[in-house]
Amino acid sequence: MSFNCRFAPSPTGPLHIGGVRTALFNWLLAKKNKGKFFLRIEDTDKERSKDEFKKQIISSLAWLGIEHDGEEYIQSKNIKKHITIAEELLKKGFAYKCYCSEQEINEQKEKCKKQGIPYVYNRKWREAKELNVPKDVQPVIRFKSKISGNTIIKDLVQGERNISNSTIEDFIILRKDKSPTYQLSATVDDHEMKISHVIRGDDHMINSFKQKQIYDAMGWKVPEFAHIPLIHSEQGKKLSKRDNASTLEDYIKIGILSDALRNYLLRLGWSHKDKEIFTKQESIDLFDLNGVGKSPSKLDLSRIYSINETYIKTIDEKELFNYLKDYASKYKKPLNQVKEKAISKSLSFLKNKAKTLEDIWKNSQYILNDKVEINADDRKLLNDDAKKIIKDFIANYEKTDNLSKETLEPIIKSLIENHKTNFKGVGQPLRIALVGTRFGPGIYDVIKSLDKLIVLERLKKII
RNA sequence: GGUCCCAUCGUCUAUCGGUUAGGACACAUGGUUUUCAUCCAUGAAAGAGGGGUUCGAUUCCCCUUGGGACCGCCA
């Protein structure tokens, strides 16, 4: 049997971090089982679906390294088929026309609310003859949901889930404008696409019970279901668009690496023994639905930073540099060739105290900007003694070619001796003058990372 | 409110009846260092509560409590 998964977002907004994880889990499982991973754009809500979001979703997945098999499937293109199935269900007696107006339904809901009882559609038209239909109401088609008995779904993550059929109302499958609703479209498409495993957020659990009834009515094979727990905000609620840093774009913007985010999302709600860092291949090999927990997990930004830091420090420096370059041109300022060279040469220490690409960018400012700005506190440290040291340093430095730690070290040492100070006494004023802050990289690194003329210019400005 | 679900350090989690309840992040302390950071070491930190079952429960069952999801002619 073929193993087919899908990710089916609706293009009504930028891709949400929870959606990204759903996509990742689907992709992982498909890859692991040598199956297919499809992308289906569920754009049947004409009002809210936007083409730009569709594009954004596709590029977001591409950024994460999750590529789908084949063309993306556009749900709206299959509407005719959905309608055909609705008619078939109608013909077979699994569905019926409901002539209740929206107003009528709303009134019922109001009434229930007032009485404090839960609203369920009263199934008014379920068995009604169509003889006395109101002429002025366009009917909707409702699925004739089972009234008695129970339905059990053996969920691959949640285990056996049992629900009393009476709690499922006669849901609408075709609107009054003859357009299909989600329950119908998703089911028909999953069937047509031969989806074998439906992996989605736990908020879809009820939908699976509804959709199972459609599968059964049509005599279609019901796919396996796996409902993964939702990601919660730090407030412990389902992540919504209002929460900070909830879209993929937000993470890219602060300089999170794709591999790091993939790794973080993988470990959120899933684990494999004590292992924390997974390469892409490892995640494919090791991932399984058994390892997925049942309870929702909270988003932890500090953990994302930490994993990102790990990746920044361990990946190949050329690769890191390329990420930085892309990041700079997309979110900051493109690097010119001269600066590119300077940064790539110094990346080994610029990355050292960075958790994100943005941090590296910030650490690189003293190289990228022509002038350094020294804040007031640091300025105070540049007293007369410090200036004398800088002056002495300039004299020696000007004479030195071939700048390296080996040639610079004797200079610094002699300054320490002559000025009866320690390394800090020499390093700090130089660092402040060259970087603009006393919290900078090692002084040898700083000097080597800057053009000789710039070093002299910055130092002379101080004395 | 109705239906369903969940429950181990602050957070992500390991444990699949017997462990000094382990790891990671974050936090604290100490050390290395050229400032900041890194790095290293150490520390504090958890089975929600109550009943069962069992020789023995974090683990299995029930109740309570707490938390969540769903309840659209959205997907």
Side-chain angles (χ1 to χ4, degrees):
Chain A
M1 196 194 82
S2 58
F3 200 104
N4 294 330
C5 293
R6 92 295 199 275
F7 175 54
S10 59
T12 53
L15 196 52
H16 190 272
I17 198 78
V20 175
R21 189 179 62 152
T22 304
L24 175 67
F25 282 15
N26 273 287
W27 179 82
L28 245 19
L29 214 64
K31 292 293 150 194
K32 187 194 172 77
N33 292 286
K34 310 226 179 317
K36 297 268 193 248
F37 170 72
F38 299 115
L39 177 63
R40 184 170 75 222
I41 303 293
E42 305 215 323
D43 58 344
T44 50
D45 184 343
K46 284 162 248 150
E47 297 278 303
R48 297 194 301 150
S49 293
K50 296 264 179 347
D51 203 50
E52 59 169 295
F53 292 132
K54 184 188 101 182
K55 285 180 185 145
Q56 199 175 348
I57 287 168
I58 293 170
S59 76
S60 288
L61 293 179
W63 180 84
L64 238 214
I66 297 178
E67 60 287 322
H68 54 273
D69 290 294
E71 285 286 293
E72 55 267 13
Y73 189 104
I74 307 297
Q75 187 161 62
S76 58
K77 289 184 181 166
N78 208 26
I79 280 181
K80 272 186 191 159
K81 178 73 183 186
H82 305 158
I83 295 171
T84 309
I85 300 298
E87 280 161 358
E88 197 175 331
L89 286 167
L90 197 59
K91 208 179 293 169
K92 288 180 174 168
F94 288 111
Y96 62 92
K97 288 180 180 171
C98 165
Y99 290 88
C100 291
S101 65
E102 282 175 80
Q103 194 193 351
E104 197 177 338
I105 299 285
N106 287 337
E107 278 167 10
Q108 281 178 36
K109 283 184 184 171
E110 281 291 308
K111 207 170 147 191
C112 287
K113 208 174 171 184
K114 268 182 198 157
Q115 295 176 356
I117 53 169
Y119 164 79
V120 268
Y121 169 66
N122 60 15
R123 302 189 176 103
K124 184 176 166 187
W125 292 89
R126 187 171 165 118
E127 306 298 346
K129 301 281 171 280
E130 291 193 23
L131 293 170
N132 44 4
V133 298
K135 288 271 187 317
D136 55 336
V137 177
Q138 280 297 317
V140 296
I141 296 182
R142 285 180 185 269
F143 185 85
K144 202 181 276 181
S145 206
K146 286 178 187 160
I147 291 176
S148 60
N150 285 50
T151 298
I152 294 170
I153 287 180
K154 284 178 185 158
D155 190 280
L156 264 23
V157 167
Q158 306 293 338
E160 216 167 82
R161 289 265 164 119
N162 191 335
I163 202 172
S164 167
N165 290 330
S166 61
T167 61
I168 298 174
E169 68 162 1
D170 287 351
F171 53 93
I172 293 170
I173 54 176
L174 217 59
R175 302 185 184 95
K176 70 176 175 207
D177 66 358
K178 302 266 188 281
S179 66
T181 63
Y182 165 75
Q183 305 293 0
L184 211 222
S185 299
T187 307
V188 174
D189 286 348
D190 280 338
H191 174 254
E192 292 224 313
M193 293 164 78
K194 297 189 167 59
I195 298 302
S196 62
H197 291 71
V198 173
I199 303 164
R200 57 192 1 174
D202 200 18
D203 49 346
H204 279 286
M205 195 68 220
I206 305 288
N207 294 333
S208 294
F209 284 102
K210 293 179 180 173
Q211 291 166 16
K212 184 177 187 299
Q213 294 205 34
I214 299 179
Y215 283 104
D216 288 343
M218 292 302 296
W220 292 340
K221 188 178 182 331
V222 183
E224 297 287 341
F225 290 107
H227 291 89
I228 60 177
L230 301 175
I231 298 179
H232 279 179
S233 68
E234 301 197 2
Q235 288 72 267
K237 297 268 160 70
K238 177 180 169 181
L239 217 52
S240 81
K241 295 199 169 83
R242 273 185 294 275
D243 292 300
N244 279 354
S246 64
T247 71
L248 225 221
E249 183 77 10
D250 293 327
Y251 294 94
I252 303 176
K253 215 182 284 176
I254 58 175
I256 300 295
L257 263 28
S258 135
D259 262 350
L261 193 67
R262 191 212 76 237
N263 200 141
Y264 172 75
L265 255 18
L266 174 71
R267 276 290 284 102
L268 193 63
W270 177 83
S271 62
H272 181 260
K273 298 178 185 166
D274 279 344
K275 196 168 164 60
E276 299 286 350
I277 301 296
F278 296 80
T279 64
K280 208 174 188 181
Q281 191 56 48
E282 281 174 331
S283 61
I284 292 171
D285 295 340
L286 264 16
F287 185 77
D288 61 6
L289 254 16
N290 285 339
V292 179
K294 287 185 175 184
S295 46
S297 24
K298 278 182 196 161
L299 211 53
D300 182 2
L301 213 53
S302 71
R303 183 60 156 266
I304 299 178
Y305 280 120
S306 165
I307 294 183
N308 203 50
E309 185 179 13
T310 303
Y311 276 88
I312 280 185
K313 289 189 175 142
T314 46
I315 65 170
D316 181 73
E317 232 159 67
K318 277 186 191 143
E319 197 184 344
L320 179 63
F321 178 73
N322 286 333
Y323 286 138
L324 182 70
K325 214 167 89 179
D326 289 350
Y327 176 77
S329 57
K330 200 163 172 201
Y331 296 103
K332 303 293 180 188
K333 235 166 69 185
L335 300 172
N336 64 37
Q337 272 196 331
V338 175
K339 300 298 185 190
E340 252 186 36
K341 217 175 151 191
I343 298 293
S344 97
K345 203 176 71 181
S346 306
L347 200 55
S348 63
F349 66 85
L350 290 173
K351 74 175 182 185
N352 235 344
K353 43 181 169 187
K355 289 187 192 299
T356 63
L357 293 176
E358 186 168 42
D359 289 342
I360 300 181
W361 174 260
K362 282 180 186 158
N363 294 344
S364 309
Q365 286 310 298
Y366 80 99
I367 297 176
L368 297 172
N369 295 333
D370 292 336
K371 286 177 187 162
V372 292
E373 296 213 0
I374 302 172
N375 69 52
D377 280 354
D378 290 323
R379 172 87 56 190
K380 278 182 208 152
L381 294 168
L382 296 175
N383 54 24
D384 288 345
D385 287 346
K387 286 177 184 173
K388 276 182 203 157
I389 290 171
I390 291 177
K391 209 169 176 180
D392 274 6
F393 177 81
I394 293 172
N396 287 295
Y397 177 75
E398 274 182 321
K399 290 183 284 189
T400 311
D401 296 318
N402 186 24
L403 293 166
S404 68
K405 192 179 175 187
E406 285 65 40
T407 56
L408 290 168
E409 207 164 18
I411 299 177
I412 302 286
K413 278 195 172 152
S414 72
L415 288 177
I416 293 172
E417 229 170 87
N418 296 341
H419 290 267
K420 296 193 170 40
T421 180
N422 54 19
F423 200 105
K424 190 179 171 187
V426 176
Q428 195 170 65
L430 288 172
R431 185 179 296 109
I432 293 170
L434 296 172
V435 182
T437 160
R438 72 203 124 116
F439 310 126
I443 195 64
Y444 296 125
D445 285 331
V446 170
I447 294 170
K448 282 190 293 174
S449 65
L450 291 168
D451 198 76
K452 190 169 181 181
L453 288 172
I454 290 180
V455 171
L456 289 170
E457 187 190 311
R458 287 185 190 175
L459 293 179
K460 281 176 179 166
K461 220 177 145 189
I462 301 298
I463 54 171

